[in-house]
């Protein structure tokens, strides 16, 4: 049972790995294709661990730790590359991790020692429980410009806009080294625009099935960095279609000045800003963009 009284539901995903569903947010913690598959395809592989010499120590922040799947997958990949982690985690709710660690299915999907290492990290000083907006600010003050990787895996922007605002993403961007990467499953125009407003360069994480096969799956996520993001494992430049997406009303970012607004207020203010931009003729409607590129579904 979470702190808000909602019982998380255990799920087995497409690759057989453990996940959870949140009735509170109405969303699963991971893609139905597989929690472990998602962790590897959208976070571990785009991280480009091969660029770090063996013996290197990586500074990593896992935003919205959840079940710990992304960190566990990164731990195993770092082991194979002879890398070590200096790790921090941000998470509001302790229940997802506790439920995962108590699950035989979750524990069985990892190499020997991985779960113990995950537990060690999450019980250490780097695990910052509470509102991520509050916990990230001292981290920026202490370690600005020193992180190699930020793994951003919050619930979707419409469900949790507080963690996708220009201000919060700007704080995450400020943590990155010049060649550091922020990685997220999200390819929404509002989020990419916010990352650009934070001064970061963008690249797309390739979709598993590829744009040429299924247009609705045109992107698997976003990578952002203070420096231009080189092509690499699962990374490619934004396409012309994606660049045009950032000129539509969908690219109006979420804003949370002072890290103090609630979900409803953030969403309402964004809707008002979108309406003003359309009335003034400053942006194109997203539906027109979708028709021009032959897109279906609701990929925002």
């Amino acid at each position: 049972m979470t702190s808000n009284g909602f019982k998380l539901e255990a799920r087995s995903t497409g690759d057989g790995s453990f996940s959870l569903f949140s009735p509170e947010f109405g969303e699963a913690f991971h893609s139905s294709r597989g929690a472990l598959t998602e962790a590897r395809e959208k976070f571990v592989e785009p991280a480009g661990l091969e660029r770090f010499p063996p013996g290197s120590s990586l500074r990593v922040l896992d935003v919205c730790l959840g079940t710990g799947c992304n960190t566990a997958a990164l731990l195993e990949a770092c082991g194979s590359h002879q890398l070590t982690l200096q790790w921090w985690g941000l998470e509001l709710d302790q229940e997802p991790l506790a439920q995962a660690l108590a699950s035989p299915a979750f524990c069985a999907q990892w190499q020997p020692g991985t779960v113990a290492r995950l537990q060690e990290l999450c019980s250490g000083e780097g695990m910052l429980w509470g509102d991520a907006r509050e916990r990230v600010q001292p981290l920026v003050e202490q370690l600005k410009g020193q992180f190699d990787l930020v793994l951003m895996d919050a619930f979707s922007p419409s469900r949790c806009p507080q963690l996708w605002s220009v201000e919060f993403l700007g704080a995450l961007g400020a943590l990155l080294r010049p060649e550091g990467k922020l990685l997220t499953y999200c390819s929404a125009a509002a989020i990419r625009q916010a990352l650009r407003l934070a001064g970061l360069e963008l690249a797309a994480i390739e979709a598993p099935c590829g744009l040429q096969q299924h247009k609705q799956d045109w992107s698997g996520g976003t990578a952002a960095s203070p420096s231009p993001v080189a092509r690499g494992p699962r990374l490619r430049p934004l396409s012309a279609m994606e660049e045009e997406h950032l000129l539509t009303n969908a690219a109006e970012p979420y804003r949370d000045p002072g890290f103090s607004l609630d979900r409803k207020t953030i969403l309402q203010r964004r809707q008002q800003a979108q309406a003003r931009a359309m009335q003034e003729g400053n942006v194109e409607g997203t539906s027109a963009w979708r028709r021009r590129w032959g897109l279906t579904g609701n990929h925002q």
Side-chain angles (χ1 to χ4, degrees):
M1 191 77 68
T2 68
S3 58
N4 290 321
F6 291 89
K7 185 176 181 180
L8 298 171
E9 302 170 8
R11 299 275 177 93
S12 179
T13 54
D15 62 2
S17 57
F18 174 90
S19 186
L20 294 169
F21 178 84
S22 170
E24 178 184 1
F25 289 96
E27 289 185 352
F29 277 59
H30 304 98
S31 163
S32 61
R33 294 184 64 249
L36 187 51
T37 296
E38 181 178 44
R40 289 170 174 164
E41 292 182 344
K42 301 193 176 187
F43 295 100
V44 175
E45 293 175 21
L49 298 181
E50 64 281 350
R51 62 198 170 103
F52 298 101
S56 298
S57 178
L58 276 59
R59 277 193 169 146
V60 177
L61 174 64
D62 189 343
V63 183
C64 296
L65 172 75
T67 64
C69 186
N70 294 335
T71 286
L74 185 63
L75 280 168
E76 293 192 344
C78 283
S80 65
H81 286 81
Q82 301 177 51
L83 305 172
T84 59
L85 292 185
Q86 291 181 274
W87 181 92
W88 286 259
L90 296 175
E91 177 57 66
L92 178 65
D93 189 358
Q94 298 186 33
E95 182 60 25
L97 178 65
Q99 196 162 329
L101 294 175
S103 167
F106 178 83
C107 295
Q109 72 192 32
W110 306 107
Q111 299 170 6
T114 298
V115 172
R117 179 64 176 137
L118 176 64
Q119 290 177 300
E120 180 184 353
L121 289 175
C122 295
S123 61
E125 294 182 355
M127 185 65 242
L128 305 176
W129 299 105
D131 189 329
R133 296 179 296 180
E134 297 175 2
R135 302 311 303 267
V136 77
Q137 296 176 70
L139 204 58
V140 173
E141 293 172 4
Q142 298 165 16
L143 297 169
K144 182 177 181 180
Q146 297 185 42
F147 278 76
D148 298 288
L149 293 172
V150 172
L151 313 180
M152 176 50 172
D153 201 14
F155 282 113
S156 68
S158 64
R159 300 292 186 183
C160 192
Q162 304 95 311
L163 300 187
W164 297 100
S165 69
V166 171
E167 294 79 11
F168 187 74
L169 292 175
L172 297 183
L175 289 169
L176 294 171
R177 297 183 190 274
E179 302 297 330
K181 290 180 184 176
L182 181 152
L183 302 169
T184 177
Y185 69 88
C186 188
S187 55
I191 306 317
R192 288 180 168 178
Q193 187 77 303
L195 291 167
R196 277 200 169 158
L197 289 172
L200 301 179
E201 303 282 345
L202 303 181
I205 298 173
E206 293 180 343
C209 59
L211 173 62
Q212 298 305 314
Q213 296 181 34
H214 300 285
K215 280 194 171 182
Q216 67 270 26
D217 292 330
W218 46 268
S219 176
T222 304
S225 175
S227 303
V229 184
R231 282 185 179 271
R234 295 197 172 274
L235 294 180
R236 60 167 176 78
L238 267 60
S239 66
M241 181 188 75
E242 291 170 294
E243 290 289 355
E244 288 187 17
H245 195 201
L246 302 184
L247 302 177
T248 70
N249 68 338
E252 179 65 39
Y254 301 88
R255 297 184 184 275
D256 181 22
F259 290 151
S260 60
L261 299 181
D262 60 22
R263 172 181 180 270
K264 182 178 179 181
T265 302
I266 294 172
L267 293 176
Q268 286 179 339
R269 290 188 178 183
R270 178 175 182 259
Q271 290 170 354
Q272 293 165 357
Q274 287 178 305
R276 286 195 300 270
M278 288 294 291
Q279 290 171 358
E280 295 168 1
N282 295 330
V283 297
E284 179 183 34
T286 310
S287 58
W289 169 80
R290 299 179 71 82
R291 287 194 299 271
R292 185 167 63 255
W293 289 97
L295 297 172
T296 59
N298 191 35
H299 196 147
Q300 291 274 315

